[in-house]
């Protein structure tokens, strides 16, 4: 075990053994213990919830989520490829991409490869993206990369 792993393990164990101070001790025997009130986590509004799909947005999202496997050019040659058993799709292949309608692409991005009978290595991005218009923007980017439209209309 490396030193970093050992330190991390010890720090984790130490954090788990410290009991949380959830209640204050009673001042007198007649007074019940008071429970500390913790603030509810604040839910921030999605700043992108009303944003319309666009190729520009798709470019930003693709660079962040897709390039590690599919590559900057979308040719399936990202930096993760040497560690993958199944090669990622080549998004610049017009014949391959035109055989997939936009709903199929949406489902693949949203649900992951396994849900559309493709590679289990394609993760489901739906929860991380948390916005259908982000997925639609990615589809615009995919269509731009392949310079194609879907041949099947479903």
């Amino acid at each position: 075990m490396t030193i970093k792993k050992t330190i991390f393990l010890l720090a984790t164990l130490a954090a788990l053994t410290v009991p949380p101070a959830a209640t204050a001790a009673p001042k007198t025997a007649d007074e019940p213990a008071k429970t500390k009130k913790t603030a509810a986590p604040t839910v921030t509004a999605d700043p992108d919830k009303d944003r319309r799909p666009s190729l520009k947005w798709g470019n930003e999202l693709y660079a962040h989520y897709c390039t590690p496997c599919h590559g900057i050019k979308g040719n399936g040659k990202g930096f993760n490829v040497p560690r993958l058993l199944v090669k990622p799709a080549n998004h610049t292949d017009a014949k391959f991409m035109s055989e997939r309608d936009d709903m199929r692409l949406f489902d693949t991005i949203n649900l992951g490869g396994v849900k559309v009978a493709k590679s289990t290595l394609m993760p489901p991005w739906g929860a991380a993206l948390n916005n259908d218009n982000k997925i639609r923007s990615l589809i615009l980017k995919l269509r731009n990369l392949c310079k194609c439209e879907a041949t099947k209309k479903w």
Side-chain angles (χ1 to χ4, degrees):
M1 186 179 290
T2 66
I3 292 174
K4 284 183 181 180
K5 286 182 182 178
T6 304
I7 291 171
F8 175 76
L9 182 60
L10 291 173
T12 304
L13 288 173
L16 293 173
T17 58
V18 176
T23 60
K27 293 180 184 175
T28 65
D30 296 333
E31 185 182 337
K34 294 179 184 174
T35 303
K36 282 187 178 178
K37 291 186 179 181
T38 57
T42 56
V43 177
T44 56
D46 180 5
D48 295 322
K49 77 178 182 88
D50 295 324
R51 190 170 172 184
R52 300 187 53 78
S54 70
L55 179 57
K56 180 181 181 212
W57 197 13
N59 288 334
E60 295 166 11
L61 295 166
Y62 193 90
H64 182 77
Y65 293 99
C66 309
T67 58
C69 297
H70 296 282
I72 294 170
K73 296 178 182 177
N75 57 6
K77 296 181 181 179
F79 63 82
N80 281 339
V81 170
R83 292 175 281 292
L84 299 175
L85 296 174
V86 178
K87 300 301 177 205
N90 178 353
H91 294 150
T92 63
D93 182 344
K95 181 181 183 318
F96 173 80
M97 292 298 291
S98 65
E99 293 171 353
R100 280 129 188 93
D101 64 56
D102 291 351
M103 193 65 220
R104 171 97 174 185
L105 295 176
F106 187 98
D107 288 345
T108 304
I109 296 166
N110 187 38
L111 304 172
V114 72
K115 294 293 185 179
V116 293
K118 291 292 181 184
S119 173
T120 58
L121 300 177
M122 169 66 185
W125 289 109
L129 294 169
N130 195 26
N131 182 325
D132 287 354
N133 285 341
K134 288 181 180 178
I135 298 174
R136 289 183 185 102
S137 294
L138 281 169
I139 293 169
L140 291 173
K141 171 64 175 176
L142 294 174
R143 293 297 177 204
N144 181 262
L145 284 169
C146 72
K147 298 177 181 25
C148 68
E149 295 293 325
T151 54
K152 293 189 268 182
K153 302 292 181 191
W154 293 53

